Every structure is written in C-alpha cells, then in structure tokens.
Amino acid sequence: CFALSGVPERYMVQGVDGLINAYKSSVANAQLHGPTIFSDVLDTSSTILSRMMESGVQRVQYMVLTIISDGVLSDGETFISKLVHTVSPLPISIVIIGVGNEDFAKMPFFLGDENVPQRSGNKQASRNCLTFATMKSVENNLGRLAEKVLRRVPEQATEWLELNRMKR
C-alpha cells in the first residue's frame, strides 16, 4: 500500500478529479503485486483521524478513504476486525475500488448488503462506512464508478454526525 502521490506525507487529494489524476500519475510508476493488505491503511487512517479530532479544531472534518486494489484482500479478518472495533466510530467513509481481472467475489465481506454494518465475532460496527465496487461492474466508466461509490458518502457522514451528536 502507498499514497497515490508517491509521498507518504501527502496522502490527501481534493475531489474525484484529484483522485483520478493521482491514480493516473501513479499507476504508470507503480508495480502492483501481492499480498493485498488493507489493515495497515486502516491503522494509518485511524491515527490521522484521531489526531484531527484531538486537535481541538471546532469544524467537523470527515475523511473519505479511497483504496484502489488489483487483488483479493489477504488480511480480510484483520481488516474487518479493525473496521468494526476501531474505524467505524470515526468520521470516515471507506471506498474500495477493485481494478483488473481479479475475482473479487472471493471477498464476500465486501459484497454483502451495504446497508448492514459489518460484524467481527459478536460485535457489530457502529455504522456501515464501507462501499465496494469494481471497474468491471461499471464497464470501466469513471462517471458511473464515481456515482456508484460516492452516492452513499453523504448518508454515511450524516449517520456519523447523528451518532456523535447523541453522545454530547
């Protein structure tokens, strides 16, 4: 896993155009290979979000983590456990985009009902913050891909706001 910018400290981009431009510029220089491990990305994201929340900034900050993968997840149980126990309470939506010829049906925990929060053992995530799509499912149409993966972000952000207002 790496930041699309190629610089670990420069991990943020602005909007869909920023994401697409970063992807296009990095894909020419990156050699994708396995294993496909996402749990480290969740650790980094939760650290960034925890620091932002602790900084005392008065405005609400919400992250949309976009993961582009050409392989089936190797650390599925660890990923789901971290998603449920650590990440789902944070102000984040996670968008995973499968690219290439891999059979992503091997990742059933991503292909379930997107309205039902993930489970890890007997614990359920506080909310569903995960959306998954493949480029194949939208016939490589970037507009359809953006619509498919971003359509849930506003409701996920609203759900996070509502859950956190109730605690205050």
Side-chain angles (χ1 to χ4, degrees), residues 58-131:
Q58 294 302 311
R59 70 178 196 268
V60 174
Q61 296 184 10
Y62 193 87
M63 177 187 286
V64 179
L65 171 63
T66 306
I67 301 173
I68 300 171
S69 177
D70 72 336
V72 171
L73 191 57
S74 301
D75 65 338
E77 287 183 30
T78 303
F79 175 83
I80 294 299
S81 178
K82 287 183 181 191
L83 180 71
V84 169
H85 295 281
T86 307
V87 178
S88 69
L90 296 173
I92 187 170
S93 289
I94 302 168
V95 172
I96 301 175
I97 301 168
V99 298
N101 295 320
E102 190 64 60
D103 179 10
F104 291 102
K106 295 177 185 173
M107 299 194 307
F109 41 85
F110 288 166
L111 301 173
D113 183 347
E114 62 185 22
N115 296 312
V116 177
Q118 301 291 334
R119 296 190 73 78
S120 177
N122 62 357
K123 180 163 171 62
Q124 182 171 317
S126 60
R127 63 192 182 88
N128 188 346
C129 58
L130 178 66
T131 304

Side-chain angles (χ1 to χ4, degrees), residues 12 21 31 35-36 60 68 73 75 94 98 105 140 142 151 163:
M12 292 200 185
N21 290 336
Q31 183 157 5
T36 302
V60 174
I68 300 171
L73 191 57
D75 65 338
I94 302 168
N140 294 319
L142 291 177
R151 69 180 162 80
L163 287 170

Side-chain angles (χ1 to χ4, degrees), residues 7 16 18 21 35 162 166:
V7 180
V16 175
N21 290 336
E162 289 171 354
M166 290 176 13

